[in-house]
């Protein structure tokens, strides 16, 4: 099971002089269920809310995915303590590590225009690719994963770290292509397909939770903000979402 953790703002629940309320949710991608949520403290951010959410969940054997905000050494340690694996997005908030991992893959992987296979020697690099066609576009996703991390000086500081990952997304529309590369720290063993599936599954929290909350439940338009009203209503919406996801009496799609 992949458990995607991500935060969402309750934009219209803003009270004068206070920060916009944020809810951090855990989404079980294969089972299609919201496992739990935590409200971010007014004077804090997702970094402090995520450990609280992790502690409330049974995560043994799961792969926990979190975006760059949650790419923290303490959070990685918390996930490992729960007997789970992690895939953490690595971006500019860890600028040195991001640059080092980026340069590693630049050297280890041939330009994809001519070569898709890794050039690193030995059994420390794995590759997986998917190609999807539809709606007038072609989307190619290429996943590289390496366990060659001995050169990374900060490796001992990241509990359970065993691999780096890179995703290259190529979108082609009417003959024009755009390319984006993203990088990850992970405790997963070498298996690029499994790594790629975890990365892809993470976006389920955006499509199946955040989008549904705003489009079908109009969460972003809710002005409820007195005391615990916003948090309680957010909880009720996610309970209803879970019930609807598991309802087999109708074939109506939530999307």
């Amino acid at each position: 099971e992949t458990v995607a953790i991500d935060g969402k703002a309750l934009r219209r629940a803003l009270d004068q002089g206070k920060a916009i309320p944020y809810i951090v949710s855990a989404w079980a991608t294969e089972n299609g269920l919201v496992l739990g949520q935590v409200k971010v403290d007014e004077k804090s951010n997702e970094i402090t809310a995520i450990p609280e959410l992790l502690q409330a969940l049974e995560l043994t054997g799961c792969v926990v995915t979190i975006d760059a905000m949650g790419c923290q050494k303490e959070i990685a340690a918390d996930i490992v303590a729960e007997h789970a694996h992690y895939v953490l997005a690595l971006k500019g908030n860890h600028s040195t590590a991001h640059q080092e991992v980026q340069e590693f893959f630049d050297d280890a992987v041939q330009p994809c225009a001519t070569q898709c296979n890794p050039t690193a020697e030995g059994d420390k690099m794995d590759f997986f690719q998917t190609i999807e066609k539809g709606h007038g576009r072609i989307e190619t996703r290429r996943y590289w994963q390496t366990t060659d991390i001995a050169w990374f000086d900060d490796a001992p500081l990241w509990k359970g770290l065993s691999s780096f990952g890179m995703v290259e997304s190529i979108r082609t529309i009417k003959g024009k292509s755009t390319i984006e590369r993203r990088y990850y720290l992970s405790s997963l063993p070498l298996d690029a397909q499994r790594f790629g599936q975890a990365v892809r599954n993470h976006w389920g929290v955006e499509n199946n939770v955040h989008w549904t909350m705003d489009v079908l439940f109009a969460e972003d338009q809710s002005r409820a903000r007195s005391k615990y009203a916003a948090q309680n209503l957010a909880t009720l919406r996610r309970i209803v979402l879970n019930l609807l996801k598991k309802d087999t009496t109708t074939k109506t799609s939530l999307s």
Side-chain angles (χ1 to χ4, degrees):
E1 177 69 79
T2 302
V3 178
I5 293 180
D6 198 33
K8 180 184 180 298
L10 307 178
R11 300 188 185 281
R12 296 281 288 174
L14 175 64
D15 207 354
Q16 188 173 5
K18 295 184 178 181
I20 297 175
Y22 269 81
I23 297 291
V24 178
S25 299
W27 171 253
T29 60
E30 280 88 354
N31 283 286
L33 291 171
V34 178
L35 299 179
Q37 68 173 42
V38 170
K39 182 179 180 294
V40 177
D41 188 76
E42 181 184 344
K43 296 182 180 180
S44 186
N45 55 38
E46 293 178 32
I47 295 174
T48 59
I50 290 173
E52 182 181 348
L53 180 57
L54 291 172
Q55 192 173 18
L57 302 175
E58 171 53 62
L59 295 170
T60 300
C62 295
V63 179
V64 179
T65 62
I66 313 178
D67 63 14
M69 176 67 80
C71 186
Q72 306 293 332
K73 299 177 182 69
E74 296 80 5
I75 290 175
D78 288 343
I79 294 170
V80 172
E82 294 290 335
H83 306 288
H85 284 292
Y86 60 79
V87 175
L88 307 178
L90 180 62
K91 292 185 179 179
N93 56 332
H94 292 286
S95 57
T96 301
H98 180 269
Q99 181 177 348
E100 290 176 346
V101 173
Q102 179 180 341
E103 290 175 352
F104 170 85
F105 279 109
D106 285 347
D107 292 338
V109 177
Q110 291 280 7
C112 285
T114 58
Q115 179 74 33
C116 289
N117 295 320
T119 61
E121 296 180 357
D123 298 321
K124 293 185 177 181
M125 181 83 79
D126 195 22
F127 172 79
F128 178 67
Q129 174 177 279
T130 63
I131 300 175
E132 297 178 0
K133 300 178 181 179
H135 306 289
R137 63 176 180 265
I138 302 173
E139 296 197 36
T140 303
R141 296 179 180 87
R142 293 167 173 164
Y143 304 92
W144 285 269
Q145 186 191 19
T146 179
T147 53
D148 182 5
I149 65 171
W151 56 268
F152 185 54
D153 290 340
D154 284 350
L157 303 178
W158 292 87
K159 186 74 171 180
L161 179 66
S162 63
S163 61
F164 298 133
M166 182 181 78
V167 180
E168 183 176 73
S169 301
I170 306 173
R171 175 175 289 191
T172 303
I173 302 176
K174 296 181 179 179
K176 295 184 178 180
S177 297
T178 58
I179 300 176
E180 178 188 15
R181 283 185 169 184
R182 304 187 302 278
Y183 304 91
Y184 297 85
L185 304 182
S186 179
S187 64
L188 286 173
L190 192 63
D191 185 340
Q193 183 171 357
R194 186 185 183 193
F195 160 71
Q197 189 63 54
V199 171
R200 189 73 190 276
N201 283 349
H202 180 78
W203 299 107
V205 71
E206 293 280 351
N207 299 329
N208 293 293
V209 182
H210 300 343
W211 184 90
T212 303
M213 287 296 108
D214 287 340
V215 175
L216 300 184
F217 290 86
E219 183 170 75
D220 241 7
Q221 301 304 313
S222 175
R223 294 286 291 161
R225 58 189 185 276
S226 176
K227 296 183 179 180
Y228 297 100
Q231 181 179 355
N232 290 341
L233 286 172
T235 300
L236 289 173
R237 292 186 195 102
R238 284 154 181 79
I239 291 173
V240 172
L241 175 62
N242 282 350
L243 293 173
L244 291 175
K245 286 283 187 181
K246 294 305 176 183
D247 180 25
T248 59
T249 62
T250 178
K251 295 183 179 180
T252 303
S253 172
L254 289 179
S255 59

